[in-house]
Amino acid sequence: MLKSKYQWNVLVPGIVPNQDIYSHILRNRGIEDAERFFSMGEESLNDPYLLDGMERAVARVHKAIAEAEKILIFGDYDCDGISAISVLYRALVRLNAHVSYDLPDRFQDGYGLNMRSVQKIIDQKIGLVITVDNGITCMDEVRYLRDAGIDTIITDHHEVKDELPEAFQILHTKLSPRYPFKEIAGVMVAYKFASAIANDPLRDLYDLVMIGTIADLVPLRQENQAIVNLGIHQLKQTSHLGLKKLLEYSHLDLINETAIAFKIAPKINSSGRLGKALQAVKLLVSESEQEVSELIYQIEVNHASRKDLTNEAVQTCEALVDHHDDVIVVASANLHEGVIGICAQKLAEKHQKSTVVITFDETGLGKGSMRSFGSDNILEMLENHKDLLIRFGGHAQAAGLQLTYENIDRLRKALNEQSKPQGQPVLQVDMELSLADVQLETVKKLQDLSFFTATFLFRDLRVERKQLLQNKHTKLSISHQGKAFDILAFNHPEPFYQIEVGDSIEVVGGMNINEWRSRFTIQVMAKDFRCLDTQVIDLRDDPAWDQHMDWNHEDVLFVDDEMILERKLKPHHTYIVKPPVQDSSKGSFIGKVFLGKTYRMMERLGPLSIEAFSQQFQIGLVRSEIALKILEELGLLTYQNHMYAAVVTREKRDLRNAPTYVEYHDLCTQIERLYTANTNELTHIIHHILGGSS
């Protein structure tokens, strides 16, 4: 029986018929008027001047433009920050501002405005600094700029602390009581500022604002949904050379929210993760065909490198995971700092434990990224052990930290001592469906409208075939009510080893349409699996069977030839058949040939202990005990003082006269069948052995 990783909370009772799927999705998302929701536009965008301090900030920028002051936009290296720089930079260039942009070095500076950048700003004689998607916690940096005679305007959306920077002006929804919707991304705040400065809606920038909004995972409702609607429409006719190249190289079948979230935004983010975010900014603001053509190649290389580095990091970390830990802490000098956050997230999801991934350099400085699982508040956990850390920050679900190498094991111990038992995490499921009854048109509608978070429960799926793609993706071919479907679990090889052909499974996941040679089919993108039936997992021919996944599971019994001989096979929900302990090609250890050879050699060797016998004949202690007992029962050996000695005789013996031989003959036959039968026969053989041993 394969247990699900999550507790499934199905929001709609019963099996929902095809014609009601869309209406229930809308209801689950709180969308009362679908037509209005997907047509929201400029009328739903809030007035920029509802942000407190907008008039003063706009006036300061106009003054800087009029007096030809140098303006610097200082952003962040993620997709939200990169798009925010691009939006404000494009707007100011049109107003003939003397403007440039910069962002922190991810590896040298960390997040946000920093003292190294502050000194550079002073040296460049910048007159006005505008932060986008950062700045709200940069007290010292803003004060230093002010003391140097440089004004700072902060545009940000991150959490506000009790103390605020002494900036010329701060634009922030949560510091603006009149602003009706607080949950906008950093790029949206930058856009509000840009449109107010330009006194223009800047419609051609909607696409950039939309990309940053989707990438930052803000709730898509009210003006966030409006900018998504407007931005997707604008992207289809974009005039930005860099975006055109991104679309061209992404080979999109459809330009929608899903395509942005899974194709466009990750490419922009990848450059930031590798410390090359400025390349992404240049791509989004460049007006040169040649430069854009050169940059798109670099962006694609960055994205491929990021994926390779992530895969390598996950493999490295998996080898370091201690499955006994309640909080996973892994550290290696062979990890790229830019992917440790993704790596921590993947490990947390797989092992269902809060996870810290740390990379350290030759000086012993460790930089880590932590991701929470379940109800763990990792910021509180780190706060309780801040004496072990150089610095840390973040929120309840994600945090970054620095520490010295010698404190890594101390942190591991401290976090594990503090960890609290977790209940099974909950996965919200929109509804249960009968997969065979779902129509292509329904899935296409959900896909076109980007309901990629829609999650469904499917039962009674029979596994007909399984594949492991690229050694990391599981593909199951299943049948339901006579119809065939595919199930894909991307970046999850575990189901390939947990599920066998013939199993009846339940799956929670989304749906999309796969096109192959002009044939359209529904496929399920799996998030979780469950099998309520008894399972027999076939890993007989896999020498690395114990390296693929964590099988620590109370309902699992590992089966091999030796444990069957020891009569340890008991009823369980899941049996995992491992490679045999003894190579069966050496022949039967209770057969006439082996026992005759053994007896003749013992005549020559003299008395042997069971351990010496096992070593001499290389058959293991369990087999040795059985073989010696058969020879003793036949009167060919005597046992005294823990030693077996041959009885000299030339009288022939009949093996059937040895009770132990009779007892184990059928069992050995079943073991041989177990390791030669096809996968479909394993369950029958296991049950036969259980019946014989009861």
Side-chain angles (χ1 to χ4, degrees):
M1 181 181 77
L2 170 64
K3 287 186 175 181
S4 60
K5 289 185 175 182
Y6 298 89
Q7 177 184 337
W8 301 344
N9 180 34
V10 184
L11 301 178
V12 181
I15 299 176
V16 174
N18 177 77
Q19 65 270 19
D20 295 336
I21 295 174
Y22 179 62
S23 61
H24 279 296
I25 289 291
L26 295 177
R27 196 171 297 118
N28 288 350
R29 301 296 182 278
I31 301 172
E32 297 179 0
D33 186 340
E35 184 177 350
R36 180 185 178 280
F37 183 82
F38 290 110
S39 64
M40 280 194 298
E42 291 180 346
E43 77 288 346
S44 298
L45 298 180
N46 294 313
D47 184 346
Y49 286 93
L50 293 176
L51 286 168
D52 282 11
M54 183 62 78
E55 295 90 345
R56 189 164 185 259
V58 168
R60 179 64 183 88
V61 174
H62 285 162
K63 177 177 180 292
I65 294 173
E67 296 179 2
E69 280 186 275
K70 289 184 179 180
I71 302 173
L72 176 76
I73 303 168
F74 195 88
D76 187 27
Y77 40 68
D78 68 0
C79 187
D80 185 21
I82 289 169
S83 55
I85 294 173
S86 305
V87 166
L88 188 56
Y89 179 80
R90 280 184 170 276
L92 292 179
V93 165
R94 294 174 194 177
L95 297 174
N96 296 316
H98 191 355
V99 60
S100 60
Y101 55 81
D102 199 4
L103 41 73
D105 183 304
R106 183 185 190 110
F107 310 121
Q108 186 173 347
D109 303 322
Y111 167 78
L113 193 60
N114 56 84
M115 283 302 184
R116 190 178 72 88
S117 297
V118 164
Q119 189 56 55
K120 192 163 89 170
I121 289 168
I122 294 171
D123 293 343
Q124 292 175 344
K125 302 189 183 319
I126 302 294
L128 174 64
V129 174
I130 305 172
T131 71
V132 293
D133 194 33
N134 76 98
I136 197 65
T137 60
C138 299
M139 263 69 68
D140 294 339
E141 292 82 0
V142 172
R143 184 181 302 113
Y144 203 91
L145 287 172
R146 185 202 62 186
D147 292 346
I150 300 171
D151 288 336
T152 303
I153 297 173
I154 294 173
T155 75
D156 203 353
H157 71 126
H158 291 99
E159 286 301 315
V160 176
K161 296 188 177 181
D162 293 337
E163 183 183 1
L164 294 176
E166 299 172 19
F168 179 86
Q169 189 61 58
I170 299 175
L171 301 178
H172 198 298
T173 59
K174 293 174 183 175
L175 297 175
S176 306
R178 295 181 303 149
Y179 202 86
F181 184 58
K182 309 299 184 184
E183 305 300 324
I184 60 177
V187 67
M188 182 72 98
V189 184
Y191 164 71
K192 297 289 180 179
F193 190 25
S195 62
I197 294 168
N199 192 29
D200 185 279
L202 302 173
R203 294 181 177 88
D204 68 308
L205 301 182
Y206 286 159
D207 43 21
L208 291 170
V209 186
M210 173 268 298
I211 291 171
T213 296
I214 291 174
D216 213 51
L217 302 178
V218 291
L220 295 185
R221 60 178 188 269
Q222 298 189 38
E223 68 175 330
N224 285 342
Q225 182 61 43
I227 201 64
V228 168
N229 296 341
L230 293 165
I232 287 175
H233 175 76
Q234 179 61 33
L235 185 59
K236 293 175 182 177
Q237 57 187 17
T238 187
S239 59
H240 303 146
L241 299 180
L243 285 183
K244 285 182 178 180
K245 282 293 182 184
L246 270 175
L247 293 176
E248 177 187 338
Y249 276 72
S250 298
H251 309 291
L252 303 180
D253 297 323
L254 186 68
I255 297 178
N256 61 4
E257 181 190 330
T258 308
I260 303 304
F262 293 102
K263 295 286 187 179
I264 301 299
K267 290 187 176 183
I268 298 172
N269 265 325
S270 289
S271 293
R273 290 189 179 279
L274 299 185
K276 300 177 181 180
L278 284 174
Q279 292 179 354
V281 178
K282 289 177 183 177
L283 180 75
L284 298 182
V285 302
S286 178
E287 299 293 347
S288 164
E289 286 275 7
Q290 181 178 345
E291 184 179 38
V292 163
S293 295
E294 294 170 355
L295 285 167
I296 193 64
Y297 173 75
Q298 295 171 1
I299 297 298
E300 291 291 322
V301 169
N302 293 343
H303 188 51
S305 297
R306 194 276 302 164
K307 290 194 288 186
D308 290 342
L309 288 168
T310 301
N311 292 336
E312 291 170 7
V314 170
Q315 291 178 11
T316 299
C317 290
E318 281 289 2
L320 299 172
V321 169
D322 185 337
H323 297 291
H324 297 98
D325 283 348
D326 293 323
V327 176
I328 294 172
V329 180
V330 294
S332 171
N334 300 318
L335 301 174
H336 192 286
E337 185 182 335
V339 300
I340 58 175
I342 301 176
C343 188
Q345 185 65 44
K346 287 180 178 291
L347 292 179
E349 290 175 356
K350 176 181 176 180
H351 298 284
Q352 298 191 293
K353 298 175 181 180
S354 295
T355 299
V356 188
V357 175
I358 302 168
T359 182
F360 54 88
D361 59 24
E362 64 279 357
T363 70
L365 175 65
K367 295 182 180 180
S369 188
M370 187 170 184
R371 295 294 182 270
S372 73
F373 186 81
S375 59
D376 279 350
N377 184 323
I378 59 175
L379 199 58
E380 287 184 5
M381 295 170 74
L382 294 176
E383 177 70 34
N384 291 337
H385 305 293
K386 59 185 178 184
D387 57 307
L388 299 175
L389 306 173
I390 297 172
R391 59 186 294 189
F392 69 97
H395 51 78
Q397 288 78 44
L401 55 98
Q402 287 186 5
L403 76 171
T404 58
Y405 178 79
E406 56 265 24
N407 278 337
I408 292 175
D409 283 338
R410 295 174 189 168
L411 180 66
R412 176 188 291 108
K413 182 179 179 182
L415 291 175
N416 275 278
E417 288 176 349
Q418 182 185 353
S419 177
K420 300 175 183 177
Q422 297 263 355
Q424 189 178 24
V426 176
L427 180 61
Q428 300 295 341
V429 181
D430 280 291
M431 67 200 78
E432 180 180 348
L433 303 177
S434 172
L435 184 55
D437 295 334
V438 179
Q439 301 297 311
L440 276 167
E441 294 74 16
T442 303
V443 180
K444 186 176 188 306
K445 185 173 186 178
L446 296 178
Q447 190 171 283
D448 289 350
L449 295 174
S450 289
F451 283 117
F452 60 86
T453 60
T455 305
F456 309 99
L457 167 60
F458 306 99
R459 302 184 195 267
D460 302 320
L461 310 178
R462 176 183 167 81
V463 180
E464 306 293 348
R465 185 168 176 252
K466 66 175 188 175
Q467 295 173 267
L468 187 62
L469 308 178
Q470 299 176 8
N471 211 34
K472 60 181 179 178
H473 313 302
T474 298
K475 180 180 180 181
L476 302 178
S477 298
I478 61 97
S479 60
H480 181 249
Q481 297 181 8
K483 295 184 178 180
F485 300 90
D486 286 336
I487 297 177
L488 294 176
F490 276 107
N491 294 309
H492 288 289
E494 297 88 357
F496 176 82
Y497 301 102
Q498 293 175 317
I499 295 170
E500 283 294 354
V501 171
D503 284 345
S504 178
I505 62 174
E506 298 177 356
V507 176
V508 165
M511 293 185 291
N512 65 17
I513 295 176
N514 181 48
E515 180 184 359
W516 174 249
R517 295 180 177 175
S518 301
R519 181 171 174 263
F520 297 89
T521 57
I522 295 172
Q523 64 183 6
V524 176
M525 314 306 290
K527 296 181 180 179
D528 202 7
F529 295 84
R530 182 164 67 199
C531 179
L532 301 180
D533 300 333
T534 297
Q535 291 181 284
V536 178
I537 308 298
D538 183 6
L539 298 181
R540 295 173 296 175
D541 298 322
D542 189 350
W545 64 271
D546 59 340
Q547 299 177 17
H548 298 300
M549 56 179 305
D550 178 12
W551 288 102
N552 293 333
H553 194 304
E554 61 184 12
D555 294 322
V556 166
L557 184 67
F558 297 95
V559 179
D560 60 31
D561 49 338
E562 197 150 290
M563 69 93 63
I564 294 174
L565 289 172
E566 292 182 90
R567 304 287 191 180
K568 292 182 178 179
L569 185 63
K570 302 296 181 183
H572 269 70
H573 292 296
T574 302
Y575 302 92
I576 298 173
V577 185
K578 306 185 318 189
V581 174
Q582 185 72 49
D583 184 358
S584 60
S585 65
K586 294 181 179 179
S588 172
F589 73 99
I590 62 171
K592 184 176 181 179
V593 173
F594 177 79
L595 292 175
K597 174 185 175 184
T598 300
Y599 169 71
R600 288 189 295 273
M601 285 193 68
M602 288 191 69
E603 279 186 311
R604 295 195 301 271
L605 293 172
L608 292 174
S609 67
I610 188 172
E611 292 80 12
F613 181 92
S614 173
Q615 186 175 9
Q616 178 68 40
F617 296 102
Q618 298 182 340
I619 61 169
L621 289 174
V622 174
R623 285 174 168 79
S624 295
E625 183 178 3
I626 295 169
L628 289 167
K629 192 172 183 181
I630 292 172
L631 291 171
E632 184 184 11
E633 290 171 351
L634 292 174
L636 297 173
L637 295 181
T638 60
Y639 180 65
Q640 191 174 15
N641 297 326
H642 306 290
M643 303 292 283
Y644 289 89
V647 176
V648 179
T649 179
R650 290 296 174 260
E651 184 180 342
K652 292 186 177 181
R653 301 291 198 269
D654 188 341
L655 284 172
R656 289 172 294 182
N657 291 329
T660 299
Y661 173 82
V662 175
E663 178 185 355
Y664 281 95
H665 179 268
D666 181 63
L667 197 58
C668 289
T669 301
Q670 295 304 320
I671 291 173
E672 183 178 356
R673 286 186 61 206
L674 184 73
Y675 282 101
T676 56
N678 63 47
T679 300
N680 293 332
E681 296 175 307
L682 291 182
T683 301
H684 173 75
I685 296 170
I686 292 285
H687 288 161
H688 183 93
I689 296 172
L690 281 170
S693 62
S694 58

